[in-house]
Amino acid sequence: MIRKFESKEDECLVILMEECGELIQVCSKMMRKNAKVSVEFTREVGDVIAMLHIAHELGMYEEKEAIERAAAKKSKLTKWSNLFNETD
């Protein structure tokens, strides 16, 4: 039996949490296997992106603000992580 949610937003959040959890599991497996690329990773990223699109369509976040936040996060990572170097 499919659970009935009080709202589409609640259902979206639950599915998004599940998909994020699946992505976390794949990331962990990739690290254990020392894999840099994975079909499963690509699939789970796609699933998370799909749920984020649905959340946007439901009006749960503003795309412009999310894009601005993503840019701010990337800028912060250039300072506090090793993901970027001077030539990136």
Side-chain angles (χ1 to χ4, degrees):
M1 176 186 226
I2 296 176
R3 182 183 189 280
K4 185 77 172 162
F5 291 90
E6 294 201 15
S7 68
K8 289 181 179 185
E9 292 83 1
D10 286 352
E11 184 173 7
C12 180
L13 289 173
V14 168
I15 297 169
L16 179 57
M17 287 186 288
E18 291 170 352
E19 295 301 344
C20 287
E22 291 172 12
L23 180 58
I24 290 167
Q25 286 181 324
V26 169
C27 290
S28 178
K29 289 177 184 177
M30 288 175 70
M31 290 184 73
R32 283 198 318 263
K33 295 176 182 178
N34 200 28
K36 305 300 180 208
V37 178
S38 165
V39 171
E40 292 82 13
F41 179 75
T42 301
R43 289 181 182 152
E44 295 305 333
V45 167
D47 290 349
V48 169
I49 291 171
M51 293 312 303
L52 291 172
H53 282 273
I54 292 168
H56 177 260
E57 290 168 2
L58 291 171
M60 297 176 72
Y61 71 91
E62 293 296 324
E63 186 175 31
K64 181 179 181 274
E65 292 173 16
I67 290 170
E68 289 171 359
R69 174 62 188 151
K73 181 65 173 183
K74 187 174 179 182
S75 176
K76 194 177 201 180
L77 288 170
T78 62
K79 182 177 181 180
W80 299 106
S81 79
N82 295 315
L83 292 172
F84 306 93
N85 60 35
E86 293 78 35
T87 61
D88 287 341

